[in-house]
């Protein structure tokens, strides 16, 4: 809190760290006292191209001088251009834009129910899908739901990576299975190949829709455009946010032509979704990240860092969504912060490393030196 304020007038729903970050450039940030940090939180996997990226700033400035916002009552070539970029070379046909990950998951859940005419959705323990009612009800963590019930009905939470449990949980009433390819908030837990195969088989056999929550894993974070591309999964719908805007709030879903038919005019919407500034910034971020050479570098940098850190830690995750198993994640993160490296816990015994995707090898070396020191 700034010194001039003696009492916070904010709701105390965040356990904030007692520093304020006031400036950022690339992977570096500075606090109000001028202390420099390597930012391996990046807004929790948001700043795909780091802080104050010149191309992103230029896009924001240019668009801000042209048009900030018009209603979705009107045509939007900016949304069309971004939708084409996100779906190009995929099996998806449609995009819908909103403002956050939770909203994207709400849209995915609503679309799955409307398309199938069914209500039951299977999600997994330790998943995280957001804080709105549908997304919170989908989330498989009590601590997210405590005190807020009754939740939206017809969600079943099944143990993650447990194929037998999943087989027992789906039936002819199941509209969708929804998962993260790597559970981010829940401890950096990747889906096993065997579990992915079971999910796809059950979806194919029972006509169940597959929703992949790519809010944290999408837009290059794992070294491919979307994390599902590294699995056998063929989702009907994916949700996006975080890296999609590189720091500008924007979320969205992508869906197949088949499910697209169920979002008819008036069935769903949002005032700000697909805002002109948001889609312009997102297009610059995504077109940079989706360059094959850029994605290849993300994978190479992740392998480079993982190789170094494996000497001392159990390292898990995919690409630059990396988890280190430690004894006490909060104490560990606090110690690293004092040493100039910002990381974020994912549960009690895992810390996440989520640097900007364009982090340099020199910065990876600096972070590794702190972590191995
Ligand atoms: C996998 C996943 N889904 C959904 C969300 C919710 O996104 P938002 O905070 O933008 O609502 C998050 C946020 O951490 C997430 O990691």
């Amino acid at each position: 809190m700034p010194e001039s304020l003696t009492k916070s007038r904010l709701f105390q729903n965040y356990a904030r760290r007692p520093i304020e970050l006031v400036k950022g450039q690339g992977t570096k940030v500075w606090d109000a006292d001028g202390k420099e940090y390597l930012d391996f939180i990046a807004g929790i996997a948001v700043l795909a191209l780091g802080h104050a990226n010149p191309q992103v700033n230029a896009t924001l400035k240019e668009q801000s001088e042209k048009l900030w916002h018009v209603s979705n009552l009107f045509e939007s070539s900016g949304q069309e251009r971004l939708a084409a970029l996100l779906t190009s070379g995929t099996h998806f046909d449609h995009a819908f834009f909103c403002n956050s990950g939770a909203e994207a998951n709400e849209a995915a859940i609503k679309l799955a129910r409307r398309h199938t005419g069914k209500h039951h959705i299977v999600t997994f323990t330790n998943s995280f899908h957001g804080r709105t009612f549908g997304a919170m009800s989908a989330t498989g963590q009590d601590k997210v739901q405590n005190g807020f019930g009754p939740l939206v009905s017809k969600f079943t939470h099944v143990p993650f990576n447990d194929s037998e449990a999943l087989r027992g949980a789906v039936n002819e009433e199941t509209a969708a299975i929804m998962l993260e390819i790597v559970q981010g908030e829940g401890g950096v837990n990747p889906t096993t190949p065997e579990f992915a195969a079971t999910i796809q088989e059950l979806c194919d056999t029972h006509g169940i829709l597959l929703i992949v929550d790519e809010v944290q894993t999408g837009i290059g974070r794992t070294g491919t455009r979307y994390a599902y591309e590294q699995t056998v999964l063929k989702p009907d719908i994916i949700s996006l946010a975080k890296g999609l805007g590189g720091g500008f709030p924007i979320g969205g879903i992508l869906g197949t032509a088949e499910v697209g038919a169920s979002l008819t005019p008036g069935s769903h919407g949002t005032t700000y979704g697909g805002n002109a500034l948001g889609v312009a910034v997102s297009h610059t971020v995504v077109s940079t990240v989706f360059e094959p050479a850029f994605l290849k570098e993300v994978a190479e940098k992740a392998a480079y860092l993982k190789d170094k850190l494996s000497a001392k830690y159990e390292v898990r995750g995919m690409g630059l969504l990396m988890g280190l198993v430690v004894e006490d994640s909060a104490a560990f993160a606090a110690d690293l912060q004092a040493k100039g490296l910002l990381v974020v816990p994912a549960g009690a015994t895992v810390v996440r490393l989520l640097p900007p995707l364009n982090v340099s090898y020199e910065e990876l070396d600096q972070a590794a030196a702190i972590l191995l020191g």
Side-chain angles (χ1 to χ4, degrees):
M1 187 177 21
E3 271 175 18
S4 56
L5 299 176
T6 51
K7 180 186 170 192
S8 173
R9 298 288 172 185
L10 299 172
F11 280 112
Q12 296 297 298
N13 55 314
Y14 298 111
R16 293 180 193 270
R17 302 183 189 188
I19 57 168
E20 182 169 5
L21 303 173
V22 293
K23 198 175 79 169
Q25 186 66 58
T27 302
K28 296 196 173 71
V29 283
W30 289 266
D31 71 16
D33 296 326
K35 182 174 157 98
E36 181 180 305
Y37 304 86
L38 278 172
D39 186 1
F40 274 45
I41 298 177
I44 315 190
V46 165
L47 295 150
L49 299 180
H51 295 271
N53 179 276
Q55 283 80 37
V56 178
N57 282 354
T59 300
L60 186 64
K61 184 165 184 292
E62 192 188 319
Q63 183 62 43
S64 74
E65 286 164 359
K66 230 189 302 181
L67 184 76
W68 281 37
H69 176 85
V70 291
S71 163
N72 283 308
L73 290 168
F74 299 98
E75 295 286 351
S76 170
S77 61
Q79 287 184 27
E80 293 288 353
R81 201 165 71 111
L82 181 59
L85 177 64
L86 291 166
T87 57
S88 165
T90 73
H91 61 287
F92 298 117
D93 266 283
H94 299 295
F96 161 79
F97 296 110
C98 52
N99 310 288
S100 69
E103 270 183 71
N105 285 329
E106 291 295 329
I109 292 163
K110 284 178 69 177
L111 175 54
R113 282 190 167 187
R114 190 172 162 98
H115 183 70
T116 60
K118 300 174 183 177
H119 309 128
H120 180 231
I121 296 182
V122 172
T123 65
F124 298 98
T125 50
N126 290 323
S127 60
F128 184 78
H129 298 294
R131 307 277 188 169
T132 52
F133 259 94
M136 172 176 68
S137 304
T139 293
Q141 297 188 56
D142 289 345
K143 69 176 185 199
V144 175
Q145 299 166 339
N146 276 345
F148 295 117
L151 301 175
V152 177
S153 62
K154 304 283 185 188
F155 282 94
T156 303
H157 303 112
V158 170
F160 192 53
N161 281 329
D162 184 336
S163 291
E164 279 324 296
L166 180 60
R167 283 183 196 285
V170 299
N171 55 49
E172 295 314 311
E173 293 307 308
T174 305
I177 297 172
M178 177 171 178
L179 80 154
E180 299 153 86
I181 302 293
V182 181
Q183 291 186 330
E185 305 297 309
V188 192
N189 311 312
T191 309
T192 63
E194 187 257 330
F195 194 54
T198 306
I199 291 171
Q200 194 59 54
E201 177 211 312
L202 290 171
C203 287
D204 292 343
T205 312
H206 299 279
I208 296 169
L209 292 183
L210 178 58
I211 303 172
V212 173
D213 179 340
E214 294 259 12
V215 167
Q216 193 155 155
T217 54
I219 317 298
R221 177 57 52 187
T222 68
T224 48
R225 294 172 303 177
Y226 309 110
Y228 81 81
E229 294 176 296
Q230 297 179 55
T231 73
V232 297
L233 296 172
K234 197 166 180 215
D236 299 280
I237 305 166
I238 64 171
S239 53
L240 300 168
K242 291 189 179 278
L244 181 63
F248 197 98
I250 179 170
I253 58 168
L254 306 183
T256 59
E258 203 183 331
V259 297
S262 295
L263 276 193
T264 49
S267 59
H268 189 59
T270 153
T271 297
Y272 279 127
N275 166 281
L277 288 173
V279 293
V281 167
S282 177
H283 193 276
T284 296
V285 173
V286 176
S287 56
T288 304
V289 171
F290 278 14
E291 280 296 326
F294 186 98
L295 290 168
K296 188 162 166 272
E297 262 203 39
V298 172
E300 286 167 359
K301 284 173 185 169
Y304 177 82
L305 184 60
K306 184 175 180 182
D307 187 51
K308 285 188 174 249
L309 299 182
S310 296
K312 184 167 173 190
Y313 299 96
E314 180 192 334
V315 184
R316 57 199 206 202
M318 271 167 80
L320 289 175
L321 166 44
M322 203 173 275
L324 306 183
V325 180
V326 297
E327 227 166 70
D328 175 344
S329 58
F332 192 85
D335 180 51
L336 290 181
Q337 182 172 304
K339 293 173 178 158
L341 176 62
L342 300 178
V343 301
V344 62
T349 59
V350 175
V351 291
R352 259 173 302 173
L353 308 184
L354 301 160
L357 302 180
N358 57 358
V359 61
S360 70
Y361 279 98
E362 196 190 340
E363 289 159 346
L364 292 177
D365 285 342
Q366 288 166 1
I370 294 171
L371 284 159
L372 296 170

